[in-house]
């Protein structure tokens, strides 16, 4: 690399490698970032994106190679040093303390003191000033627990910016955002860009990368595949580079045949303050979509249906008969299954191996013989699921925490399939998993529906809803805004019903 | 992966307790180098086992409580309480009553489980912090037995009750048999029943367990009841060994019970643990104490060494989990 380029770039990575217990996850990565640009960083799960940005932020140390900031080699032993060097990160999972206010969170770890005491007035002033500059409509005295997801992200951004960050890293910032909120984020990023802030945008959503970025860096299996000007590439080319081969169609062909009889009917389901008279039905063999903004009550509806939340009123009919579901056990008995959106927190047991994770619900019914667990049967069943679901595992007895998101999700699916569900609810089933696993899960849901199982798909990814569902209920503020069918399932219609605002007209 | 786990193999703990096994080897080498001829004598070894069995038995129940994500500080007071009340119960039957002894055994076990149930219901149903609940009941049990005994020794009037705790069966003292028996039983419960599986799942992540249709409240309640049962066993062994109970007996049993579990590799954060590990942990504490005595080291220092062993054990856990 010649010196003229070094002096041009604000940040250079030179031959960065990283090994975790002799497994090489990053292999001599070299590229530079120009001042004031938005650099996309894309790659499948496990490609090394997070490791790379963690090295830039000082959370990990590279095994070899050099980070060069404005022409000078720098050593970043921890995040505090990174912050003082002007590098900030907006993490994927929010790192905010709910019981503290907005400004307290913004200044967490870099509080301003007046003598021995906190200078609260000054911190409030600076925080308000910064929020106003970025045109973020947020009161600094509000508690973080009261904020929406998009607002929390604004707090994260302010927090990363508070030490005058010149380089700001966004780690998959749109994962938990809805389309509308993504727009807010992008306009915010444009404002930051106008202020001269350099940004790294990590994502595996290609259309977002092509929308917001100037250039894009592609990683695959820990290696640098290329750095491209956005103007020179399209999504398809990026996808090919990212996955390393062609992939034809992500979504299986849409189910066109008419659906069967009604399997599930929910009438006037209400929870005070959360859900208001939710009424819907599910027919045999269809894929029913639930769309809406985060917080519209989709997950709450499903949790209420599963007996995970107490309902104030409402009736549930399965196969024409009224059922009472007060505990998830009752739901399982009625052949209902629920894949939660929170795979880490509510899905897999991280310290259990594959067989133990898969048998968790069906244990008593299928694997307990005279009071004792038949571990042989468990292993046989697990091996079958590993094969059927194409779960990549070097050993059945490895703890789930060592698995990628996609493989964890498949194990989680296998657990519910082992209960023999007639109705399966999938809540954000493809969140945080790579494109191959996504495609496999779509295929899987499709096969399920074809075999007569009623599938409910809750998703914030509109392409998923549009690509898979036969009917779509759109929720807004705890109420069903509309039910869309056939040709009416379009991005416009869904967003209109979800927000109540006609956009782009 | 063809290794079937039919039967109740002890294969599981082998790898995990590797370090513990090594520690035992080191201790034996020390004993040999120091040339303590008495250390390896059967009598000394049985003595060690007897000494550790009282808190060791409770440690077995405690292991399950810790796996569930809780803690039980009340076990020491509960032992004195159950032991004392059981002697009152025994004395109702007069001097020569074998029936009285049989009924007292049942009584002590049920009373222990009832005490554990109180802890468990407060934790599982009323969702209180286990530390707070058992800190409270720890005082309550101790205070009650002091009240009932008027702060004096509670003596048994039964002639043969003492044989229970001091008896020897096939060369091993009865408390040691109880330790081994309860240990094997709970090992099987933990590794081969759905309850054991649910317990680990709940301790590892309560939400996952709830979302997997597990009745979390019952799973969190049972370990306290089981611990109450182990307290009942120890209360019987201890009170019959001395044929009496002092209201100040069994103080800080909770520390030894927790120490045994932790040294045996049970995670304080819950979700993972081993009954066999706890048994080894308890024996380890006994062996170290015994060697300190043989080495002529002040009894006052024994607690310090125990503390050191606990810290080292947790430190090793931490490094293994990193």
């Amino acid at each position: 690399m010649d010196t003229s380029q070094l002096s041009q770039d604000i940040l250079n990575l030179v031959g960065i490698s990283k090994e975790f217990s002799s497994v090489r996850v990053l292999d001599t990565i070299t590229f530079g970032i120009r001042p004031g640009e938005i650099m996309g960083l894309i790659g499948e799960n496990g490609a090394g994106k997070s490791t790379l940005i963690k090295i830039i932020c000082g959370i990990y140390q590279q095994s070899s190679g050099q980070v060069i900031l404005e022409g000078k080699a720098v050593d970043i032993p921890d995040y505090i040093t990174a912050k003082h060097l002007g590098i900030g990160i907006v993490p994927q999972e929010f790192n905010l303390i709910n019981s503290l206010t907005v400004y307290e969170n913004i200044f967490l770890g870099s509080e301003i003191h007046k003598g021995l005491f906190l200078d609260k007035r000054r911190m409030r002033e600076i925080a308000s000033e910064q929020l106003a500059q970025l045109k973020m409509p947020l009161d600094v005295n509000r508690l973080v627990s009261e904020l929406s997801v998009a607002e929390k992200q604004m707090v994260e951004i302010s927090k990363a910016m508070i030490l005058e960050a010149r380089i700001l890293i966004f780690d998959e910032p749109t994962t938990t955002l809805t389309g509308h909120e993504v727009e807010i984020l992008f306009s915010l990023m444009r404002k930051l860009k106008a202020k001269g802030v350099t940004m790294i945008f990590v994502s595996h959503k290609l259309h977002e990368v092509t929308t917001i970025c100037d250039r894009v860096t592609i990683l695959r299996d820990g290696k640098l595949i290329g750095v491209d000007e956005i103007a020179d590439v399209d999504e398809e080319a990026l996808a090919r580079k990212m996955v390393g081969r062609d992939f034809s169609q992500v979504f299986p062909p849409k189910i066109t045949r008419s659906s069967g009889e009604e399997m599930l009917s929910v009438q006037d389901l209400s929870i005070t303050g959360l859900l208001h008279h939710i009424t819907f039905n599910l027919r045999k063999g269809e894929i029913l979509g639930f769309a809406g903004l985060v917080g519209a009550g989709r997950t709450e509806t499903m949790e209420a249906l599963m007996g995970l939340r107490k309902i104030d009123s409402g009736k549930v009919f399965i196969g024409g008969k009224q059922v009472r579901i007060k505990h998830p056990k009752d739901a399982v008995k009625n052949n209902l299954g629920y894949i939660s959106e929170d795979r880490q927190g509510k899905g897999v047991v991280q310290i259990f191996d594959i067989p133990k994770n898969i048998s968790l619900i069906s244990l008593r019914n299928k694997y307990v013989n005279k009071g004792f667990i038949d571990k042989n049967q468990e292993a046989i069943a697990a091996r079958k699921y590993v094969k059927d679901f194409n779960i990549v595992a070097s050993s059945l007895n490895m703890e789930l925490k060592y698995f990628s998101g996609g493989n964890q999700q498949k194990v989680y699916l296998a657990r519910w399939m082992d209960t023999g569900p007639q109705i399966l609810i999938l809540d954000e089933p493809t969140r945080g998993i790579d494109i191959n696993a996504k495609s496999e899960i779509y295929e899987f849901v499709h096969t399920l529906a074809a075999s007569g199982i009623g599938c409910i798909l809750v998703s914030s990814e509109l392409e998923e809803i549009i690509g898979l569902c036969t009917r779509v209920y759109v929720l807004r503020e705890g109420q069903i805004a509309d039910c869309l069918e056939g040709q009416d399932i379009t991005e416009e219609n869904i967003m209109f019903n979800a927000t109540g605002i006609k956009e782009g007209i | 992966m063809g290794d079937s786990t039919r039967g109740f193999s002890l294969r599981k703990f082998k790898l995990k307790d590797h370090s513990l096994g090594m520690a035992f080897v080191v201790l034996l080498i020390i004993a040999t180098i120091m040339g303590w001829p008495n250390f390896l004598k059967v009598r000394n070894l049985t003595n060690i086992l007897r000494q550790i069995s009282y808190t060791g038995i409770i440690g077995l129940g405690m292991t399950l409580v810790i796996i569930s994500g809780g803690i039980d500080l009340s076990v020491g007071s509960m032992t004195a309480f159950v032991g004392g009340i059981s002697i009152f119960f025994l004395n109702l039957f007069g001097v020569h009553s074998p029936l009285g002894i049989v009924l007292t055994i049942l009584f002590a076990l049920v009373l222990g489980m009832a005490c554990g149930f109180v802890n468990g219901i407060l934790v599982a149903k009323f969702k209180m912090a286990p530390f707070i609940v058992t800190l409270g009941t720890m005082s309550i049990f101790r205070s009650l037995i002091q009240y009932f005994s008027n702060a004096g020794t509670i003596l048994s009037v039964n002639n043969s009750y003492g044989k229970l705790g001091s008896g020897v069966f096939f060369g091993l003292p009865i408390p040691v048999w109880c330790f081994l028996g309860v240990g094997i039983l709970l090992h099987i419960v933990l590794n081969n029943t759905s309850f054991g599986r649910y317990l680990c799942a709940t301790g590892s992540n309560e939400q996952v367990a709830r979302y997997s249709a597990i009745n979390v409240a019952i799973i969190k309640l049972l370990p306290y009841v089981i611990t109450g049962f182990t307290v009942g066993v120890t209360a019987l062994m201890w009170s019959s060994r001395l044929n009496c109970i002092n209201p100040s007996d069994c103080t800080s049993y909770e520390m030894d019970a927790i120490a045994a579990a932790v040294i045996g590799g049970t995670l304080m954060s819950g979700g993972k643990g081993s009954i066999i590990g706890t048994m080894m942990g308890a024996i380890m504490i006994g062996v170290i104490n015994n060697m300190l005595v043989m080495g002529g080291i002040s009894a006052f220092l024994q607690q310090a060494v125990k503390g050191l062993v606990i810290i080292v054990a947790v430190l090793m856990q931490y490094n293994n989990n990193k």
Side-chain angles (χ1 to χ4, degrees), chain A residues 303 308 328-329 345-349 351-352 356 359-361 364 372-373 375-376 378 396-397 399 415, chain B residues 1 4-6 12 188 191-194 197-198 200-201 204-205 207-208 210-214 271-272:
Chain A
E303 288 182 344
L308 287 158
K329 269 180 157 171
K346 291 163 185 160
V348 295
V349 183
I351 60 169
F352 274 12
K356 284 183 183 175
S359 67
L360 195 58
I361 302 171
R364 280 209 174 132
F372 297 114
I373 298 172
K375 296 187 179 176
N376 238 353
E378 252 187 324
L396 269 191
N397 300 102
E399 291 179 4
R415 177 193 301 163
Chain B
M1 250 157 297
S4 83
T5 334
R6 203 167 279 161
K12 272 248 165 76
I188 293 169
N191 289 301
N192 297 79
T193 67
S194 52
R197 186 67 63 77
Y198 293 164
C200 292
S204 169
N205 188 331
Q207 285 287 15
V208 171
R210 199 167 87 87
Y211 276 69
S212 299
I214 291 170
K272 217 180 203 176

Side-chain angles (χ1 to χ4, degrees), chain A residues 276-287:
Chain A
H276 315 287
H277 305 287
I278 301 285
T279 298
F280 67 93
N281 66 350
L282 170 74
R283 300 196 202 106
K284 199 175 162 79
E286 78 174 337
I287 303 175

Side-chain angles (χ1 to χ4, degrees), chain A residues 434-445:
Chain A
D434 64 66
I435 197 154
N436 279 326
K438 252 185 199 181
S439 172
E440 279 173 312
I441 284 175
Y442 296 147
E443 197 65 53
F444 170 74
V445 174

